[in-house]
Amino acid sequence: MREILGKRRRLLSRRDNRRSEMLGAALTFATEWKWPVLPGVAPDPQGRARCGCPDPECTVPGAHPFDPGLLAATTDARMVRWWWGNRPAAPIVLATGGKAPCAVSLPAPAAARALAALDLQGMRLGPVVAAPTRWSLLVKPYSMEQLGELLYAKDHVPGSLRFHGEGGYLALPPSETGQGQIRWERAPLPGSASPWVPDVEAVVDAVVEALTRTGVSAPEL
């Protein structure tokens, strides 16, 4: 009996720690860094690889907003506390663009090789978010016009690159989604100020060049 009670206490303690971790992270993003966030859809309890949203073929299970919708993203501490008080395990979703960072993402294997090549070049990168299949490099906010001009000027841009700009979203650590754990591959430097992020031009130029130099083929994912 004591062993059963001990296991139950440990399980409850882990759950409480997890809830505290999620709420603490959401509050840091929203109130300290001024990144608008909202809770994502939870994975389907019938199968974590599926999503809790109505789409049976959802490609980002648990890692996107649904109810509330993306426009509800906020930096208000009271709203954040209410959301994660009621949905403590909900993934933390960043509404990209506006005054918040945007992101450039690519398949994880190609991203790992590209980051290694950029490190050798001494390029300064900002935070990098790692999901099991894709990594996302955070960049300064950009407009669609700015992105269009950037891509038009290039001879070739890998089709596997994805851009999370105005009206987009990105699951943030330490969220747990239907695809697995979201973590920091490159964590923001500690401190209360919003983390530094590079310009999108610098990241796209560097990633495309690194992929070309290393001969990496970045498949669609």
Side-chain angles (χ1 to χ4, degrees):
M1 186 65 177
R2 288 181 179 177
E3 183 178 351
I4 294 175
L5 289 175
K7 288 182 178 179
R8 184 173 298 175
R9 291 193 188 98
R10 289 193 293 272
L11 178 60
L12 291 174
S13 177
R14 285 196 294 270
R15 287 179 178 175
D16 289 342
N17 290 340
R18 177 65 176 168
R19 291 177 177 180
S20 177
E21 181 184 27
M22 293 299 293
L23 176 58
L27 285 171
T28 294
F29 299 142
T31 64
E32 295 183 15
W33 298 355
K34 304 303 178 185
W35 293 2
V37 297
L38 74 164
V41 184
D44 189 333
Q46 301 301 317
R48 292 195 63 81
R50 300 202 305 264
C51 191
C53 74
D55 183 0
E57 298 181 357
C58 180
T59 58
V60 284
H64 68 91
F66 174 66
D67 184 17
L70 186 63
L71 292 178
T74 185
T75 59
D76 182 76
R78 292 172 298 177
M79 196 70 241
V80 170
R81 290 184 182 278
W82 188 85
W83 274 334
W84 274 273
N86 288 278
R87 299 166 58 181
I92 303 169
V93 175
L94 166 70
T96 55
K99 295 183 179 179
C102 295
V104 177
S105 72
L106 64 162
R113 292 178 175 87
L115 261 62
L118 298 181
D119 286 342
L120 290 175
Q121 297 173 21
M123 179 178 174
R124 182 186 181 190
L125 293 172
V128 177
V129 176
T133 59
R134 295 186 71 86
W135 291 5
S136 301
L137 288 69
L138 299 189
V139 298
K140 292 179 181 177
Y142 57 79
S143 66
M144 292 305 295
E145 292 78 10
Q146 181 183 3
L147 179 62
E149 292 176 0
L150 171 63
L151 299 182
Y152 182 77
K154 292 205 163 296
D155 294 330
H156 171 70
V157 176
S160 59
L161 284 183
R162 295 178 187 168
F163 299 91
H164 308 257
E166 184 74 31
Y169 57 85
L170 185 70
L172 295 175
S175 302
E176 181 76 28
T177 73
Q179 294 178 327
Q181 183 77 34
I182 308 295
R183 61 179 178 82
W184 293 113
E185 174 62 26
R186 301 288 173 87
L189 296 176
S192 59
S194 182
W196 177 88
V197 292
D199 291 327
V200 65
E201 293 92 341
V203 167
V204 172
D205 288 346
V207 167
V208 171
E209 182 180 357
L211 292 177
T212 302
R213 285 188 175 183
T214 56
V216 173
S217 175
E220 288 281 0
L221 283 178

